[in-house]
Amino acid sequence: QVQVVESGGGLVQAGGSLRLSCAASGRTFSSYAMGWFRQAPGKEREFVADISWSGGSTYYSDSVKGRFTISRDGAKNTVWLQMNSLKPEDTAVYYCAAADVETYSDHPLTIDDYDYWGQGTQVTVSS
């Protein structure tokens, strides 16, 4: 069993930065792939980024590539999402999730691949 709790959301102006954290509990955290998703009002939840259990492989959506960075620290049971050059269209609730599968190098894991989800943290980017 893995529990995940997100933090770090808030209100920021366009062009600014935020760093989201995802604290995970459970002895097997280090064996799980981790991902970030987001959901804007009236829209479906969409993939943002994922990272392999080792941290050696990452994948990003085209909309955030070059602006966001996902990383993890197994010793701290934590995954981060560094978000730079934020845009108003990045406004959404951001969710962290854990998947007991390997990641892919050429496409992201899907929502259905994830076993455990956090409650989400709100990110609002003002123009």
Side-chain angles (χ1 to χ4, degrees):
Q1 185 92 10
V2 175
Q3 293 183 325
V4 294
V5 179
E6 305 94 337
S7 62
L11 174 64
V12 64
Q13 288 187 332
S17 298
L18 280 175
R19 189 174 79 157
L20 304 183
S21 298
C22 173
S25 62
R27 293 182 299 170
T28 58
F29 165 76
S30 60
S31 68
Y32 280 75
M34 300 296 294
W36 285 97
F37 288 75
R38 66 187 182 186
Q39 187 167 17
K43 295 187 176 181
E44 294 186 351
R45 192 169 298 189
E46 65 173 3
F47 168 79
V48 175
D50 66 29
I51 187 166
S52 62
W53 66 270
S54 68
S57 177
T58 58
Y59 197 90
Y60 298 91
S61 69
D62 288 342
S63 62
V64 307
K65 194 176 299 180
R67 300 188 297 123
F68 291 10
T69 303
I70 187 172
S71 59
R72 69 187 296 165
D73 185 329
K76 297 181 178 180
N77 280 8
T78 302
V79 176
W80 296 276
L81 185 68
Q82 177 67 44
M83 306 185 295
N84 298 328
S85 302
L86 283 162
K87 305 175 182 180
E89 50 264 44
D90 294 318
T91 295
V93 177
Y94 283 71
Y95 297 90
C96 178
D100 190 16
V101 295
E102 292 287 344
T103 57
Y104 301 98
S105 62
D106 60 351
H107 65 276
L109 297 175
T110 68
I111 287 178
D112 291 338
D113 288 320
Y114 288 87
D115 306 289
Y116 305 101
W117 291 83
Q119 294 300 306
T121 185
Q122 176 71 46
V123 172
T124 303
V125 184
S126 63
S127 57

